[in-house]
Amino acid sequence: QLQASGGGLVQAGGSLSLSCAASVSGFRIKEMGWYSQTPGKQREVVATMNEDGFTKYGDSVKGRFTISRDYSKNTVYLLMTLLEPEDTAVYYCNARSVRPGRSYEYNTWGQGTQVTVSS
């Protein structure tokens, strides 16, 4: 289960932070991240971080957004700076996890949180 928080309304050029806490007792989280979706479009990657700390960013957010994790709290954060109206979307937290010793991956989504950037 993923519990996301943050988001809201901000003016262009401003900043927002999102956080997402995972309740994953008995599972190993391989990767956590954030995806965005706008009406009529597919969900797309914003930023992800795997268990080794390797990060990936969507091209449109590189240099503006930063993903981080608190492994002790199973929480992932997304700091969004220099926000643009084009960043307006519903942002979804995601976690890929496995049971120890098993290969099957569980793909879990949190509830979406709206980010609106006004021009």
Side-chain angles (χ1 to χ4, degrees):
Q1 185 178 1
L2 302 178
Q3 184 65 44
S5 61
L9 173 65
V10 67
Q11 287 188 331
S15 301
L16 281 175
S17 293
L18 305 179
S19 65
C20 175
S23 300
V24 287
S25 177
F27 288 81
R28 186 180 104 240
I29 298 177
K30 297 186 66 177
E31 182 180 273
M32 292 187 76
W34 294 93
Y35 292 72
S36 66
Q37 189 170 25
T38 54
K41 294 187 177 181
Q42 288 189 333
R43 201 168 292 185
E44 57 184 31
V45 64
V46 176
T48 61
M49 178 180 281
N50 70 9
E51 58 188 339
D52 297 320
F54 181 74
T55 59
K56 290 193 293 186
Y57 291 92
D59 289 340
S60 66
V61 306
K62 287 179 181 177
R64 299 188 298 120
F65 291 12
T66 303
I67 189 171
S68 59
R69 280 177 69 175
D70 184 333
Y71 292 89
S72 66
K73 297 180 180 179
N74 285 327
T75 300
V76 64
Y77 306 93
L78 184 68
L79 174 60
M80 304 181 289
T81 65
L82 300 175
L83 282 160
E84 304 168 351
E86 293 73 21
D87 297 318
T88 296
V90 177
Y91 285 71
Y92 294 90
C93 177
N94 173 265
R96 292 194 295 113
S97 58
V98 295
R99 289 189 179 277
R102 304 289 181 91
S103 61
Y104 180 81
E105 285 191 2
Y106 295 84
N107 194 30
T108 306
W109 293 95
Q111 85 281 13
T113 184
Q114 177 70 44
V115 171
T116 303
V117 184
S118 63
S119 57

